[in-house]
């Protein structure tokens, strides 16, 4: 089979951890689009879900930081954070080591991806799963792009990683779904938390929808840091999904800055 | 200054239940395992969240340490603001990227 679903969404911990402090109408509007994404995902009847995330020092640290990593286990645990702080209870999430190994084998022909047989999910994976697979009944294959500690993989490589993931999916018999999760401009867990550069976000999303390779991969890290904060480095996850779905129409179901969630909350899908 | 090990201690404390138990049992013994200077140990001990931020601890690590030490979200953000006011701009790490 092939890729049967692709999309992007936000993953900020405030989405679940500080939900009661957001404007109710705005929050419910965002949640409603996340639920709409879940229905589309379910309708695609996937056998597995690849979550391209930008984890935050839950598994990888500066002693040995992979630019790219795929999980290769039959199960994962999460969240690594305090349950009350995140608003998501501890859970076991099924994996699929066999499928992951086959995907990694193909991706490695293009990208020197690491693999991990242990992986503790942080909010970057758990917040999307909380909405998209709330019963944790769909095998997940986590993929990580280092977006936290420079030096960072170039945006063009993140696109290439997406292309390779797509080729790997297309070679499997399983029905595979793909989501990229990250923030656009944001300054999470710093004194500037809550600051959002809406114009920058909308321009990036416009480039994402228009399949504008040059526009999406043209930002230098210094420019991103200046205009979109350190959180802006996470656009790599969106660029990866774009690389995996080049040529397919895309649609933003929701975008609105929600400062208490520290990010412009986004839900986007690809019409494969 | 050993910002790397300062962050490594917090990273391991955040994710490893055994390290968490050692922290609860004997924080001094845990601190002794890392090559930290006196200022860094004191900042962790107190804790001085603002100073840890100014030293360059990444917020993705620091926010969990602050929560562990009983800081509510708004208090955590304020502690960093107070730290910058008291100690000056961030000295190292990601947030020193622009030098401001």
């Amino acid at each position: 089979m092939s890729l049967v679903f692709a999309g992007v969404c936000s993953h900020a911990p405030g989405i679940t951890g500080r939900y009661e402090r957001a404007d109710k109408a705005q929050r419910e509007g965002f949640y409603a689009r996340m639920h709409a994404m879940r229905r589309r995902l379910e309708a695609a009847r996937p056998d597995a879900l690849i979550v391209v995330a930008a984890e935050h020092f839950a598994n990888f640290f500066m002693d040995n930081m992979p630019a790219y990593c795929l999980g290769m286990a039959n199960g994962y645990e999460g969240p690594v954070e305090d349950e009350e702080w995140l608003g998501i209870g501890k859970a076991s999430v099924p994996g699929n080591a066999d499928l992951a190994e086959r995907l990694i084998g193909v991706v490695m022909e293009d990208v020197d991806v690491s693999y991990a047989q242990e992986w503790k999910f942080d909010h970057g994976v758990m917040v999307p799963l909380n909405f998209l697979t709330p019963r944790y009944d769909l095998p997940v294959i986590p993929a990580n792009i280092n977006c936290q500690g420079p030096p960072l993989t170039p945006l063009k490589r993140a696109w290439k990683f997406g292309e390779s993931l797509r080729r790997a999916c297309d070679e499997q018999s399983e029905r595979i779904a793909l989501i990229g999760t990250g923030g656009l401009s944001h300054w999470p867990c710093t004194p500037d938390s809550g600051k959002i550069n809406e114009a920058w976000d909308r321009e990036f999303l416009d480039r994402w929808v228009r399949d504008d390779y040059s526009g999406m991969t043209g930002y230098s890290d210094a420019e991103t840091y200046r205009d979109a904060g350190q959180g802006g480095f996470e656009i790599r996850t969106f660029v990866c999904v774009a690389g995996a779905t080049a040529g397919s129409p895309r649609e933003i179901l929701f975008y609105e800055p929600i400062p208490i969630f520290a990010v412009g909350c986004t839900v986007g899908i690809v019409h494969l | 200054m050993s910002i790397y090990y300062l962050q490594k201690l917090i990273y391991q404390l955040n994710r490893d239940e055994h390290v968490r138990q050692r922290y609860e049992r004997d924080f001094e013994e845990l601190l002794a395992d890392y090559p930290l200077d006196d200022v860094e140990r004191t900042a962790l001990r107190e804790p001085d969240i603002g100073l840890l931020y100014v030293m360059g601890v990444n917020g993705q690590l620091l926010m969990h340490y602050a929560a562990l030490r009983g800081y509510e979200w708004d208090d955590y953000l304020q502690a960093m603001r107070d730290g910058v006011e008291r100690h000056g701009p961030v000295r190292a790490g990601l947030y020193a990227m622009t030098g401001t």
Side-chain angles (χ1 to χ4, degrees):
Chain A
M1 196 52 203
S2 176
L3 198 65
V4 295
F5 176 87
V8 291
C9 67
S10 307
H11 68 218
I15 291 169
T16 49
R18 296 189 292 277
Y19 74 97
E20 79 286 356
R21 296 182 60 184
D23 175 80
K24 190 178 176 190
Q26 202 174 29
R27 175 187 76 205
E28 294 305 322
F30 171 54
Y31 285 3
R33 293 339 187 282
M34 288 295 286
H35 294 313
M37 191 186 200
R38 185 193 74 239
R39 288 191 293 275
R40 288 173 189 251
L41 173 68
E42 289 172 349
R45 296 180 290 108
D47 299 310
L49 170 64
I50 300 172
V51 181
V52 179
E55 73 120 50
H56 318 77
F57 307 114
N59 302 275
F60 310 117
F61 188 66
M62 283 78 83
D63 55 346
N64 190 0
M65 180 66 80
Y68 299 97
C69 189
L70 275 164
M72 199 172 72
N74 281 321
Y76 304 93
E77 305 292 325
V80 69
E81 296 97 338
D82 181 77
E83 297 170 279
E84 196 177 328
W85 181 85
L86 186 59
I88 297 177
K90 301 282 184 194
S92 296
V93 180
N96 184 334
D98 171 60
L99 174 59
E101 186 169 355
R102 282 181 276 133
L103 293 171
I104 291 164
V106 179
V107 171
M108 273 184 166
E109 291 175 11
D110 301 315
V111 177
D112 298 318
V113 64
S114 299
Y115 62 86
Q117 292 186 278
E118 280 185 63
W119 196 308
K120 295 182 179 183
F121 289 170
D122 72 4
H123 64 269
V125 175
M126 293 305 289
V127 169
L129 293 186
N130 177 67
F131 291 94
L132 300 176
T133 66
R135 295 179 300 279
Y136 305 118
D137 52 359
L138 179 63
V140 169
I141 297 174
N144 194 66
I145 304 176
N146 170 32
C147 299
Q148 301 302 332
L152 303 166
T153 187
L155 292 167
K156 289 187 167 103
R157 292 291 289 168
W159 178 285
K160 185 70 184 169
F161 182 55
E163 279 185 338
S164 297
L165 273 177
R166 176 60 180 273
R167 190 161 70 83
C169 290
D170 286 349
E171 291 186 18
Q172 313 308 318
S173 59
E174 289 90 344
R175 300 172 64 86
I176 301 172
L178 170 71
I179 61 161
T181 86
L184 304 175
S185 71
H186 64 311
W187 287 254
C189 43
T190 72
D192 293 323
S193 177
K195 178 178 165 186
I196 294 160
N197 185 343
E198 182 175 349
W200 192 91
D201 288 358
R202 290 193 183 278
E203 182 175 47
F204 175 80
L205 289 175
D206 180 60
R207 294 173 183 189
W208 189 79
V209 167
R210 286 190 291 104
D211 206 16
D212 178 359
Y213 171 79
S214 300
M216 265 184 284
T217 61
Y219 305 94
S220 72
D221 286 343
E223 287 168 345
T224 301
Y225 187 85
R226 180 194 67 207
D227 299 330
Q230 81 282 357
F233 295 146
E234 292 181 355
I235 59 170
R236 282 165 175 76
T237 61
F238 283 45
V239 170
C240 173
V241 170
T245 61
S248 295
R250 307 198 182 109
E251 182 184 358
I252 299 300
L253 299 182
F254 188 89
Y255 172 81
E256 271 187 46
I258 304 183
I260 193 62
F261 293 170
V263 74
C265 291
T266 309
V267 182
I269 56 164
V270 183
H271 297 285
L272 292 170
Chain B
M1 283 290 289
S2 44
I3 184 65
Y4 172 80
Y5 285 105
L6 188 55
Q7 294 191 103
K8 187 167 185 181
L9 188 157
I10 297 174
Y11 162 69
Q12 292 180 327
L13 189 56
N14 286 346
R15 74 184 303 279
D16 189 327
E17 187 53 38
H18 296 297
V19 176
R20 184 78 58 89
Q21 287 167 7
R22 287 190 62 201
Y23 156 80
E24 285 165 3
R25 201 169 54 237
D26 191 340
F27 193 23
E28 290 304 317
E29 185 190 281
L30 180 65
L31 285 173
D33 280 359
Y34 297 81
L36 305 172
D37 64 30
D38 289 342
V39 176
E40 290 162 340
R41 284 196 196 92
T42 302
L44 283 167
R45 228 182 254 128
E46 285 187 357
D48 188 336
I49 297 298
L51 182 55
L52 290 169
Y53 174 71
V54 167
M55 285 173 170
V57 175
N58 191 296
Q60 297 287 358
L61 295 161
L62 187 58
M63 69 175 166
H64 300 301
Y65 186 63
L68 177 71
R69 299 300 299 262
Y71 280 69
E72 296 294 334
W73 183 247
D74 292 341
D75 298 334
Y76 161 65
L77 297 180
Q78 191 56 47
M80 288 187 290
R81 293 182 189 117
D82 293 345
V84 172
E85 195 168 315
R86 194 177 312 125
H87 303 291
V90 175
R91 300 167 189 165
L94 184 58
Y95 310 132
M97 224 171 116
T98 59
T100 58

